[in-house]
Amino acid sequence: MLKILSMLSLILLSPSKLFGNALKFESIQHSQVTVSPDIVGVLAYRDRVYETPFNNNYLISSAYNPKPKKDGFAFGDKYSDTAGTDRIIFPKHIKKGYWHGLASYGENILLMEGRKKKILRFKPETKRFIGYSEIILDLFRPALDSRGEPTKNEITNGRRNFIRELKKLDSGVIALNGLAEFPQAWVKGSGQASHLIATGIPKFPLFTMKCSSKDGLVCQLKRQCFLEGHKKVAHGLAVSAKRRQILRVDRENHQLLVYKWMKCHHIPLVGRIKLPAKLNKARNLYIDSSDNLWVSTEKPDNYRNSSLYKWAAKDWGL
């Protein structure tokens, strides 16, 4: 009887009070001493890890060994922590920026500039940047609900209110602050969206986005999605296709917010994961194809001197 009552109390507990197992500093599988101390975007692609600094004019590319031998290294070597790491400088016309999102795009990588709201395509094989363009922000529709498609008034009001909120942002706020590939298995019919994009606007925290490269790179917001249970600004974005979860960073409380994807109109907050006290403030998240969790921070810690950390899939979760 007591067991049943305890289970009921967990079910009735508000999601804002639910906590998963805290991430343990001792359980870090790999960490990296990065060439830039303040890391935001993260993407593991083939045998390399790509990163973007908070505000600069280059992409970081690091050789990565996911299964080093006993005396081996995941990053660097015995002579240098940054061995195998390159800075790939942007073309002159792109310049310095707030490149706060990285995501796969076929055989390429997308980089998202959060303040200018632009997208850039990178070809890893040739190390070339192509397809620099603005993200189309004002043609999205709100998510379908139980009544079906939104009305014309709902569409018009949604677009108008979003643009208004963008204009109200302080000059120092990064409008778009998270990018992740969208799992096609989450929706009926493929090709409706290629990515999820997160914002620093609490009223409009998440959108689906569709990118096409038929006539140059064109990326457009498609649907406004509704994250429920957290009304303040959040940062970063990571997606676990296997767990049907979306993760964001709550920098103010040094924790991760965990949402459950039900549908675009209904994405409830189902828990929170405390970050280790030894870590500095998190910038962003990334979940790779093996469900490993990566966290980037605004400056190195005092123990590993790292700004990027990886936990194995078994070592994180609710």
Side-chain angles (χ1 to χ4, degrees):
M1 186 67 176
L2 287 173
K3 186 176 181 180
I4 295 172
L5 287 173
S6 64
M7 289 177 66
L8 284 172
S9 65
L10 282 174
I11 294 169
L12 294 172
L13 197 61
S14 167
S16 64
K17 297 179 181 178
L18 288 178
F19 281 88
N21 297 320
L23 285 177
K24 295 180 180 178
F25 193 81
E26 297 74 19
S27 298
I28 294 170
Q29 186 179 50
H30 298 139
S31 64
Q32 184 188 18
V33 178
T34 55
V35 294
S36 174
D38 192 348
I39 294 297
V40 186
V42 181
L43 177 70
Y45 185 86
R46 296 180 179 172
D47 61 346
R48 303 193 73 82
V49 172
Y50 293 90
E51 302 144 318
T52 50
F54 181 79
N55 180 28
N56 223 309
N57 68 336
Y58 55 83
L59 174 68
I60 301 168
S61 172
S62 301
Y64 174 59
N65 179 6
K67 296 180 179 180
K69 295 180 180 179
K70 185 177 180 181
D71 296 324
F73 299 85
F75 293 99
D77 58 27
K78 64 180 180 180
Y79 302 107
S80 172
D81 290 324
T82 58
T85 295
D86 302 314
R87 291 183 180 93
I88 306 172
I89 306 298
F90 295 152
K92 290 182 179 179
H93 69 281
I94 295 176
K95 301 181 181 179
K96 197 173 182 179
Y98 296 87
W99 298 93
H100 287 194
L102 289 175
S104 297
Y105 180 59
E107 298 296 310
N108 302 320
I109 295 172
L110 292 183
L111 294 83
M112 180 189 71
E113 211 288 346
R115 184 171 289 178
K116 295 176 184 176
K117 300 172 280 293
K118 291 191 174 184
I119 206 86
L120 174 66
R121 185 156 54 118
F122 173 70
K123 288 193 169 186
E125 289 186 7
T126 59
K127 296 184 180 180
R128 290 183 59 234
F129 296 98
I130 55 176
Y132 184 50
S133 60
E134 292 187 5
I135 299 171
I136 300 171
L137 302 171
D138 57 356
L139 295 178
F140 68 87
R141 291 169 173 254
L144 285 79
D145 58 20
S146 58
R147 301 169 299 169
E149 284 286 355
T151 65
K152 287 184 179 180
N153 277 342
E154 289 172 333
I155 294 170
T156 301
N157 289 335
R159 293 171 179 174
R160 183 188 297 122
N161 291 337
F162 178 57
I163 299 302
R164 185 185 297 124
E165 291 294 322
L166 279 176
K167 291 178 179 178
K168 284 166 54 179
L169 289 177
D170 293 336
S171 58
V173 176
I174 311 300
L176 308 180
N177 62 17
L179 180 68
E181 194 171 1
F182 183 75
Q184 294 301 303
W186 284 8
V187 294
K188 293 179 180 179
S190 60
Q192 294 183 30
S194 58
H195 294 82
L196 287 169
I197 193 165
T199 84
I201 305 172
K203 292 180 181 178
F204 294 86
L206 189 69
F207 292 88
T208 64
M209 181 174 74
K210 178 69 179 290
C211 290
S212 171
S213 54
K214 290 181 180 179
D215 300 305
L217 181 63
V218 178
C219 293
Q220 175 184 328
L221 300 188
K222 297 296 288 184
R223 292 281 184 182
Q224 174 193 357
C225 294
F226 297 93
L227 297 179
E228 304 164 9
H230 184 78
K231 303 299 182 184
K232 296 182 179 181
V233 174
H235 298 80
L237 180 68
V239 171
S240 170
K242 297 175 182 177
R243 308 184 198 202
R244 295 184 70 87
Q245 289 179 350
I246 292 172
L247 275 65
R248 301 205 68 192
V249 178
D250 176 1
R251 280 169 55 86
E252 182 180 347
N253 295 299
H254 201 56
Q255 63 187 5
L256 308 181
L257 305 171
V258 184
Y259 297 88
K260 186 75 170 182
W261 175 276
M262 310 301 286
K263 51 188 175 181
C264 185
H265 190 267
H266 178 46
I267 311 173
L269 179 67
V270 293
R272 302 165 188 257
I273 299 174
K274 281 289 185 183
L275 290 164
K278 292 180 180 179
L279 257 64
N280 282 298
K281 282 192 174 184
R283 285 286 191 198
N284 207 340
L285 307 163
Y286 169 65
I287 296 172
D288 62 30
S289 58
S290 298
D291 231 27
N292 303 308
L293 174 65
W294 302 69
V295 177
S296 63
T297 61
E298 66 180 18
K299 60 181 178 180
D301 67 87
N302 294 324
Y303 304 88
R304 291 172 172 250
N305 199 32
S306 299
S307 295
L308 180 64
Y309 310 85
K310 175 190 172 187
W311 281 266
K314 65 180 178 62
D315 292 324
W316 73 272
L318 296 177

